Amino acid sequence: MSNYHIKHLEEYFQVYRKSVRNPESYWEEIAEEHFMWHKRWDNVLSYDFEKPEFKWFEGAQLNITENCIDRHLRTRGDQTAILFEPNNPDEEALHITYNELHDRVCKMANVLKVEGIQKGDRVCIYLPMIPELAVAVLACARIGAIHSVVFAGFSSTALATRINDSNCKMVITSDGSFRGSKTIDLKGIVDEGLKKCDSVETVLVVNRIDSGVEMKEGRDKWLQPLLDKAEATCEPEIMDAEDPLFILYTSGSTGTPKGMVHTTAGYMVYTAFTFKNVFQYRDGDVYWCTADIGWITGHSYIVYGPLANGATTVMFEGVPSYPDYGRFWEIVDKHKVTQFYTAPTAIRALAKENLEHVEKYDLSSLKVLGTVGEPINEEAWHWYDENIGKKKCPIVDTWWQTETGGIMISPIPYSTPAIPTFATLPLPGIQPALMDEEGKEIKGNQVDGRLCIKFPWPSMARTIWGNHQRYKDTYFSAFKNMYFTGDGALRDSVGYYRITGRVDDVVIVSGHNLGTAPIEDAINEHPAVAESAIVGYPHEVKGNALYGYVILKETGETRNQDNLRKEINQLISDRIGPIAKLDKIQFTSGLPKTRSGKIMRRILRKIASNDTSNLGDTSTLLNPEVVQEVMDNVIK
Ligand code: WTA
């Protein structure tokens, strides 16, 4: 029996039982056999849910890039580590071998050092999906700098908020990016954002689109000339197991984004282990995850997890619709992709297009298909299974979060029989619990409740940057001695889990987490707006879309409503990014509120979802009459 690589159902159950009975020895064995350490740990795990504090492999010393790069050089130096597929299909793909990746990462690491970056400094990376993004991430890890990757679709304000929150000393960006037929002026966004930031001393700029951007004297530097001068070796910084590896921001239901802090050893062990098992990766495979490295999926399952296993990982710069809707399948065919991991929203969008886009290509290389980021509906699951997997590829519906660092609940191909819409069973070491609203665990099967995890796992986020209290309040206060996920779930008659969606004010739109409060804050900045409430409603392609209820100040009511809608969406785009735009905006004279003045989002959600059969008792509201008005004017 192998703890590290599970190959059938019986083995899964055996391994799972062992992992729960004795988590320390289970993870210790994996850490010992599969990774390279400079010093062994003194203690596998210490934890305290009250503080809350979690330490894995304390006392151990390592560098994650040695595990992701150096140790593979002897056996697979000439194997492709990163396979870069550019936006433009006519531009040649780039096969970066492990040897080349080593040199690139070391050069970049040396540049960071020359530019004054030291262990513990925060470096903001705002780059498109080009090799420099992965290289920059690894270069930070090489020298012990903490990377904070900001998805390059975020606006200048959102970028500035994130830079300021963690006081980044440097930004690594590019002149611009290619996205389908468009180019985007990333450097311009950075310049705009940096007007609001004091901590940034240096901006390194990759030349991706040759647009000849303005460079600010003393602050901005083209990266390539610096790389040309840099040495191709860089001794890795020896890190403690619990040293921070990165910060990654995720939306909360209230306030500013949360800078989730992930640390080194536990994150490495868990992402490597889950990558190997969930995708059943084997030597010679070509693995492709279509996420952006700006999200946790890209961190864990484009960069760290695959590279820790010596895998070949594809990085795609473009979008699924360019030059046409066959692009994903063209890439699978061209590079003989074996594992393909994407989001349900992409599947739904592609399933709407003509099947010819799929049928043109040979997809027979595929072995395993995956989905992540939101619940997958049955129809999309079957489309994926039939048209992409040809009913021969197991589908892994992987449930996890930025906070969990790695996949938590997922089928293991060839082991766990899959059922559409079910994330199925917890991976080894993961102990889910369903809780009722009173804080009691709901035991047994055929039940539903709030999804919690009742034992620590190696890749859990350790804190929120600069705000440990918020970490405690958000994740460890609702239920005692447990991590609360914010999701609801049900457990069926055989113990399979199905994630039913968020139970807080986070809405998942096209697989992106959006907190409703920050969007409301943006809208309320509009001079004509008095108050607003945002809710999610089901959308065919995006999973959820955003519906805004807006109360105007009296002076605003005479204005053209369509113009106001445009202005409101522009404001959201500027403050957060285009992904947070509202699909529907209803102007209303009031919002249903409780007697204590809380907006009843449950009612608004139902109205927006066109599900008004069971609104519950509205007579106890402060203003019951408003419900009818809202219903009468709903935008269908
Ligand atoms: C949702 C993405 C259903 C869930 C890795 C979670 C899912 C949030 C699934 C985290 C899934 C993720 N089925 N829902 N397979 N995977 N989610 O932080 O609501 O971007 O809490 O991490 O996405 O999103 P995040």
Coordinates of all heavy atoms in Angstrom, one line a residue, residues 122 124 157-168 193-200 249 465:
R122 N 7.6 41.6 0.5 CA 6.5 41.2 -0.4 C 6.7 41.8 -1.8 O 7.0 43.0 -2.0 CB 5.2 41.8 0.2 CG 4.6 40.8 1.2 CD 5.2 40.9 2.6 NE 5.1 42.3 3.1 CZ 6.0 42.8 4.0 NH1 7.0 42.1 4.4 NH2 5.8 44.0 4.4
C124 N 4.7 42.1 -5.4 CA 3.4 42.0 -6.1 C 3.7 41.6 -7.6 O 4.5 42.2 -8.2 CB 2.6 43.3 -6.1 SG 1.2 43.3 -7.1
T157 N -7.5 50.2 -8.9 CA -7.9 50.4 -7.5 C -7.7 49.1 -6.7 O -7.2 49.1 -5.6 CB -9.3 50.9 -7.4 OG1 -9.5 52.0 -8.3 CG2 -9.6 51.4 -6.0
A158 N -8.2 48.0 -7.3 CA -8.1 46.7 -6.6 C -6.6 46.4 -6.5 O -6.3 45.8 -5.4 CB -8.9 45.7 -7.4
L159 N -5.8 46.7 -7.5 CA -4.4 46.4 -7.4 C -3.8 47.2 -6.3 O -3.0 46.6 -5.4 CB -3.8 46.7 -8.7 CG -2.2 46.6 -8.8 CD1 -1.8 45.2 -8.6 CD2 -1.7 47.1 -10.2
A160 N -4.1 48.5 -6.2 CA -3.5 49.3 -5.2 C -3.9 48.9 -3.8 O -3.1 48.8 -2.9 CB -4.0 50.8 -5.4
T161 N -5.2 48.5 -3.6 CA -5.6 48.0 -2.3 C -4.8 46.8 -1.8 O -4.3 46.7 -0.7 CB -7.1 47.5 -2.4 OG1 -7.9 48.5 -3.0 CG2 -7.6 47.1 -1.0
R162 N -4.5 45.9 -2.8 CA -3.7 44.7 -2.5 C -2.3 45.0 -2.2 O -1.6 44.5 -1.3 CB -3.9 43.7 -3.6 CG -5.3 43.0 -3.5 CD -5.7 42.4 -4.8 NE -7.1 41.7 -4.7 CZ -8.2 42.4 -4.7 NH1 -8.3 43.7 -4.8 NH2 -9.4 41.7 -4.6
I163 N -1.7 45.9 -3.0 CA -0.3 46.3 -2.8 C -0.1 47.0 -1.4 O 0.8 46.7 -0.7 CB 0.2 47.3 -3.9 CG1 0.3 46.5 -5.2 CG2 1.5 47.9 -3.5 CD1 0.6 47.4 -6.4
N164 N -1.1 47.8 -1.1 CA -1.0 48.6 0.2 C -1.2 47.7 1.4 O -0.6 47.8 2.4 CB -2.0 49.7 0.2 CG -1.5 50.9 -0.7 OD1 -0.3 51.0 -1.0 ND2 -2.5 51.6 -1.2
D165 N -2.1 46.7 1.2 CA -2.4 45.9 2.4 C -1.2 45.1 2.9 O -1.0 44.9 4.1 CB -3.5 44.9 2.0 CG -3.9 44.0 3.2 OD1 -4.6 44.5 4.1 OD2 -3.6 42.8 3.2
S166 N -0.3 44.7 1.9 CA 0.8 43.9 2.4 C 2.1 44.7 2.1 O 3.2 44.1 2.2 CB 0.8 42.6 1.7 OG 0.6 42.7 0.3
N167 N 2.0 46.0 1.9 CA 3.2 46.8 1.7 C 4.2 46.2 0.7 O 5.4 46.0 1.1 CB 3.9 47.1 3.0 CG 3.1 48.2 3.8 OD1 2.9 49.3 3.2 ND2 2.7 47.9 5.0
C168 N 3.8 45.9 -0.5 CA 4.8 45.3 -1.4 C 5.9 46.4 -1.8 O 5.6 47.5 -2.0 CB 4.1 44.9 -2.7 SG 2.9 43.6 -2.4
G193 N -2.6 52.7 -10.5 CA -2.7 52.1 -9.2 C -1.6 52.7 -8.3 O -1.8 53.0 -7.1
L194 N -0.4 52.8 -8.8 CA 0.8 53.2 -7.9 C 0.7 54.6 -7.4 O 1.4 55.0 -6.5 CB 2.1 52.9 -8.6 CG 2.5 51.4 -8.7 CD1 3.9 51.2 -9.3 CD2 2.3 50.7 -7.4
K195 N -0.2 55.4 -8.1 CA -0.4 56.8 -7.6 C -0.9 56.7 -6.1 O -0.8 57.7 -5.4 CB -1.4 57.5 -8.4 CG -0.9 57.9 -9.8 CD -2.0 58.7 -10.5 CE -1.5 58.9 -12.0 NZ -2.7 59.2 -12.9
K196 N -1.5 55.6 -5.8 CA -2.1 55.5 -4.4 C -1.2 54.6 -3.5 O -1.6 54.2 -2.4 CB -3.5 54.8 -4.5 CG -4.4 55.7 -5.3 CD -5.8 54.9 -5.5 CE -6.4 55.3 -6.8 NZ -6.6 54.2 -7.7
C197 N 0.0 54.3 -3.9 CA 0.9 53.4 -3.1 C 2.2 54.0 -2.8 O 2.8 54.6 -3.7 CB 1.2 52.1 -3.9 SG -0.3 51.2 -4.4
D198 N 2.7 53.9 -1.6 CA 4.0 54.5 -1.2 C 5.1 53.5 -1.1 O 6.2 53.8 -1.1 CB 3.8 55.2 0.2 CG 2.9 56.4 0.1 OD1 2.8 57.0 -1.0 OD2 2.2 56.6 1.1
S199 N 4.7 52.2 -0.9 CA 5.7 51.2 -0.5 C 6.5 50.7 -1.7 O 7.6 50.2 -1.5 CB 5.0 50.0 0.1 OG 4.0 49.4 -0.7
V200 N 6.0 50.9 -2.9 CA 6.7 50.3 -4.1 C 7.9 51.1 -4.5 O 7.8 52.3 -4.9 CB 5.7 50.1 -5.3 CG1 6.4 49.6 -6.5 CG2 4.6 49.1 -4.9
Y249 N -5.0 37.1 -2.3 CA -6.2 37.8 -1.8 C -7.5 37.1 -2.3 O -7.6 36.6 -3.4 CB -6.2 39.2 -2.2 CG -5.2 40.0 -1.4 CD1 -3.9 40.1 -1.9 CD2 -5.6 40.6 -0.2 CE1 -2.9 40.7 -1.1 CE2 -4.6 41.2 0.5 CZ -3.3 41.3 0.1 OH -2.4 41.9 0.9
W465 N -3.2 38.2 6.3 CA -2.0 39.1 6.4 C -2.5 40.4 7.2 O -3.4 41.0 6.8 CB -1.5 39.5 5.0 CG -0.3 40.4 5.1 CD1 -0.3 41.8 5.1 CD2 1.0 40.0 5.3 NE1 1.0 42.2 5.3 CE2 1.8 41.1 5.4 CE3 1.7 38.7 5.4 CZ2 3.2 41.1 5.6 CZ3 3.0 38.6 5.6 CH2 3.8 39.8 5.6

